[in-house]
Amino acid sequence: MSNAISFSNYNKKLSIIHKINPSIKLLSCIFLIICVFLPIHLFGYLIVLVVVSILFGLSKPSKKSVKLIIFSWAIIFVIITLINWVFFKAPALNVIKLDHILFHNPLVDKTLHEYDLDGQKIHYVLAPCYGLEKMSDVKFFKNGADVDVCLEQLKTEGYKNFFSAKKGDYWAVFGYSTTWYSISTQVFIFSAKISLQVAIMLCIATILITTTSFAELSYAIEELLSPLKIIKAPVNEISMIISIALRFIPTLIEESARVLNAQASRGVDFSNGNFKDKIKSLTCLIIPMFSISFRKAEDLANSMAARGYDPRGVRTKFRHFEPTLKDLILILFSSFLLAMFIVLAVQNKYFSFFLFIDALV
């Protein structure tokens, strides 16, 4: 069973990623995950994706890991697309401030619309919605009173749905009528963004877990938490707790498989029946797993006590990881990437090669 869970297995294939200092590897992975959550637009996500893909390839992943990540991305994309298709059928609009774009592709300027409001040029993009019965022109207003007048006029013209939102300093308003199968292009863009973020994080997690043993991971956590020793924090105990928790994930997965097989042999059906029956059958798994977890925790505590383990004692290390040139290159590059994206996010500036997609992301 543990072999089926690729994210919990250490890959013993020796690669350049295996040789990187565990502390630097863990810190770089944290930096890359932070980059994924920053508002860095499509070009930024593509940069992170390229970097993570290179690191993923250098880590010599198994085919099962690659297939699982691709399958997870596809499933998440389909689920999010279906949910958004059901609940969001409106055309999407976003106002663009050209001075926030550091570079944009002139070939996609045709996707940019312009509205003249009392001599003020307002640039915006509008995501087309397929399956609309009709849609009015987009109008912008400076105050809410004009918005109410416009909405009343759109109602008299027979529009069933209305878009009214404040975009920056202006109100954007338009009317539209949808059908049951209407779908906006922003649904696909949003689904692709979320699923891409998840896929990148899965790749980063796979790189870390499959190229770092539990002993190395424990060492890395302890090293990263070592500054907390200044405030007398129990760093050794915290790192030991985390490493033990990670160590027992594949063990508990194996135990859950044994419990499932044992309960199935006794006639417990986990797949058939209504929702209430399935909840009842899960108790046959949850209760034994709690019992097994507490028993293993007690056995581990007794073993550590028998060996004279002192959580507050000074511990020596079997291996010492000296930083090398490749460690320095990795941490400097990941730090530069994170710092650049933070600066761009704070200043609300971005590179845009796909203006239409970037505006809706």
Side-chain angles (χ1 to χ4, degrees):
M1 177 67 181
S2 63
N3 293 332
I5 309 298
S6 60
F7 296 126
S8 63
N9 287 339
Y10 173 67
N11 188 354
K12 295 183 179 179
K13 293 180 182 178
L14 192 60
S15 68
I16 189 173
I17 306 299
H18 285 73
K19 299 177 182 178
I20 292 177
N21 186 300
S23 303
I24 292 178
K25 190 192 307 181
L26 177 59
L27 189 60
S28 299
C29 288
I30 293 173
F31 285 172
L32 290 173
I33 290 176
I34 294 175
C35 289
V36 173
F37 286 99
L38 292 175
I40 55 180
H41 295 268
L42 181 62
F43 184 68
Y45 291 128
L46 292 179
I47 291 177
V48 177
L49 178 62
V50 170
V51 172
V52 172
S53 299
I54 293 173
L55 295 176
F56 189 73
L58 293 175
S59 66
K60 297 182 180 179
S62 63
K63 293 182 179 179
K64 188 176 293 184
S65 298
V66 177
K67 290 180 181 178
L68 185 58
I69 290 174
I70 295 175
F71 179 75
S72 302
W73 173 83
I75 290 296
I76 294 171
F77 177 80
V78 171
I79 292 175
I80 296 177
T81 300
L82 291 175
I83 293 174
N84 282 277
W85 173 60
V86 172
F87 293 101
F88 302 101
K89 296 180 179 294
L93 180 145
N94 199 11
V95 173
I96 300 297
K97 293 184 178 180
L98 296 180
D99 57 334
H100 287 182
I101 303 176
L102 300 176
F103 173 84
H104 66 96
N105 188 355
L107 297 178
V108 297
D109 280 353
K110 60 183 179 181
T111 63
L112 189 65
H113 300 276
E114 186 177 280
Y115 188 89
D116 191 334
L117 180 61
D118 299 332
Q120 180 72 35
K121 300 292 184 181
I122 302 174
H123 299 92
Y124 68 96
V125 293
L126 183 67
C129 189
Y130 303 102
L132 287 180
E133 291 181 355
K134 59 179 181 177
M135 177 179 168
S136 69
D137 294 331
V138 178
K139 296 181 180 180
F140 287 87
F141 302 96
K142 291 183 178 180
N143 55 73
D146 294 333
V147 173
D148 295 335
V149 174
C150 183
L151 290 175
E152 291 297 329
Q153 182 179 354
L154 291 173
K155 289 179 183 178
T156 59
E157 294 176 3
Y159 291 102
K160 301 176 183 177
N161 309 97
F162 309 96
F163 179 93
S164 174
K166 192 169 186 178
K167 299 292 183 178
D169 299 327
Y170 309 101
W171 287 86
V173 181
F174 60 85
Y176 61 95
S177 298
T178 61
T179 58
W180 68 269
Y181 56 87
S182 299
I183 186 168
S184 173
T185 52
Q186 192 181 27
V187 169
F188 298 105
I189 295 173
F190 180 77
S191 302
K193 174 198 171 186
I194 298 298
S195 57
L196 179 62
Q197 288 176 315
V198 173
I200 292 174
M201 287 188 289
L202 287 177
C203 287
I204 295 172
T206 304
I207 293 169
L208 180 63
I209 298 300
T210 58
T211 64
T212 313
S213 65
F214 286 109
E216 292 173 343
L217 195 57
S218 176
Y219 171 86
I221 294 171
E222 186 174 347
E223 287 294 309
L224 291 182
L225 295 177
S226 57
L228 296 178
K229 292 180 179 179
I230 300 175
I231 58 174
K232 306 295 183 179
V235 173
N236 293 338
E237 297 176 42
I238 295 174
S239 62
M240 178 59 69
I241 292 170
I242 296 174
S243 60
I244 289 175
L246 294 173
R247 169 63 184 84
F248 273 89
I249 289 175
T251 303
L252 293 178
I253 290 175
E254 291 178 356
E255 292 294 340
S256 66
R258 293 194 186 99
V259 172
L260 284 173
N261 293 332
Q263 299 290 13
S265 66
R266 294 181 175 89
V268 179
D269 190 356
F270 291 96
S271 56
N272 298 321
N274 55 34
F275 181 75
K276 185 178 180 180
D277 294 333
K278 290 181 179 180
I279 294 296
K280 288 183 179 179
S281 62
L282 281 178
T283 58
C284 300
L285 172 64
I286 295 174
I287 294 175
M289 286 305 300
F290 268 106
S291 176
I292 291 171
S293 300
F294 285 119
R295 186 173 66 249
K296 286 189 174 295
E298 185 178 4
D299 292 342
L300 178 62
N302 292 334
S303 299
M304 295 174 71
R307 288 169 173 80
Y309 175 77
D310 182 9
R312 300 186 183 277
V314 179
R315 299 176 58 199
T316 58
K317 294 181 174 61
F318 178 72
R319 292 181 63 186
H320 292 273
F321 298 90
E322 298 296 333
T324 60
L325 179 60
K326 58 179 176 291
D327 300 330
L328 185 62
I329 293 174
L330 178 61
I331 191 63
L332 287 179
F333 181 77
S334 58
S335 301
F336 168 76
L337 208 62
L338 177 61
M340 180 183 70
F341 287 141
I342 288 177
V343 170
L344 292 176
V346 170
Q347 295 180 353
N348 197 19
K349 295 183 181 294
Y350 56 94
F351 296 92
S352 177
F353 289 87
F354 312 95
L355 184 59
F356 171 75
I357 299 176
D358 276 315
L360 297 176
V361 167

